[in-house]
Amino acid sequence: DALNQKKHAILESPTGTGKTLCLLCASLGWLEYFLAQQQLRRLDEPWSSSKPDEVASVGKFDAPLIIFSSRTHAQLNQAVQAFKDTVYFSHKIGVLGSRDQLCLLPEVVNLESNPAKVYQCRLRVSTRTCEYYRNFDAGRDKLLDSMRTSKIADIEDLCKFGRDNRACAYYLSREVKSDAEILFMPYNYLLDVKIRNLYGIELTNA
């Protein structure tokens, strides 16, 4: 009812009762039902062959984005691992992380403070002195297509893919979210307006 009516729901359950899977499966089950209903409505709408744009739009829906958030990246990884074992794993997934989790350049990774990492990352991106970013930027479309077929699901998958392709996992994660059906992120990414704007997280249809 909360999903259908676009209202808030407060749910409580003891530790170890499977809250994560319940939330994920219920939300994605509802999403599949929503998409099926949209398809049926679209097919029932009268259309004329004189309007090819309408014909082309059949099957394309403005599906809501499901956002799953938790306090830590470790908890998110646990949720993703549980999600992998469900029948809903075919849905497009995105995982957002910081440079702390996703940067692969040793000169930046080994810096002690996060502000220093952010500064050095931005500097190297703007001056194009980061090999990983250059490779990401040059092969963006091909890399994203490869990620989609490889079922990249969590931070570890992203980092491995980035290392294998010598491409920036941080910027790849920001690109993948654009067509994700379910997006995993820490609470602060969702609640902090500045972080939402930085990552381009849109809540209008989520």
Side-chain angles (χ1 to χ4, degrees), residues 105-117:
L105 190 67
E107 295 89 336
V108 175
V109 172
N110 294 330
L111 294 172
E112 292 186 2
S113 70
N114 187 60
K117 292 178 182 179

Side-chain angles (χ1 to χ4, degrees), residues 35-103:
L35 293 174
Q37 292 298 307
Q38 291 294 309
Q39 186 174 28
L40 287 173
R41 290 194 189 98
R42 187 70 60 85
L43 292 174
D44 286 340
E45 291 176 359
W47 50 269
S48 168
S49 58
S50 62
K51 297 180 179 180
D53 56 325
E54 291 183 5
V55 178
S57 68
V58 173
K60 297 180 181 178
F61 312 110
D62 188 18
L65 171 66
I66 295 174
I67 298 176
F68 186 97
S69 64
S70 190
R71 187 172 59 85
T72 67
H73 283 286
Q75 291 171 336
L76 288 176
N77 280 340
Q78 290 176 357
V80 171
Q81 294 307 314
F83 175 61
K84 285 181 177 181
D85 294 329
T86 71
V87 296
Y88 300 106
F89 189 51
S90 59
H91 286 274
K92 297 175 183 176
I93 182 174
V95 180
L96 291 181
S98 68
R99 291 171 176 85
D100 274 334
Q101 288 83 35
L102 294 170
C103 181

Side-chain angles (χ1 to χ4, degrees), residues 150-168:
S150 300
K151 285 294 181 184
I152 302 299
D154 56 24
I155 297 294
E156 285 76 12
D157 290 340
L158 271 169
C159 289
K160 183 179 185 304
F161 182 87
R163 282 190 292 268
D164 291 345
N165 292 275
R166 305 291 292 178
C168 179

Side-chain angles (χ1 to χ4, degrees), residues 11 32 43 45 71 76 85 89 116 121 124 147 149 175:
L11 309 175
E32 291 189 352
L43 292 174
E45 291 176 359
R71 187 172 59 85
L76 288 176
D85 294 329
F89 189 51
C121 172
R124 291 168 186 272
M147 283 185 67
T149 57
E175 290 287 329

Side-chain angles (χ1 to χ4, degrees), residues 155-201:
I155 297 294
E156 285 76 12
D157 290 340
L158 271 169
C159 289
K160 183 179 185 304
F161 182 87
R163 282 190 292 268
D164 291 345
N165 292 275
R166 305 291 292 178
C168 179
Y170 174 72
Y171 280 95
L172 280 169
S173 74
R174 293 176 60 169
E175 290 287 329
V176 169
K177 75 170 179 53
S178 61
D179 64 349
E181 293 173 303
I182 178 167
L183 194 57
F184 291 83
M185 69 180 75
Y187 284 139
N188 59 315
Y189 285 39
L190 187 61
L191 301 177
D192 191 309
V193 176
K194 291 182 179 179
I195 296 179
R196 285 210 312 270
N197 291 337
L198 174 65
Y199 283 91
I201 300 168

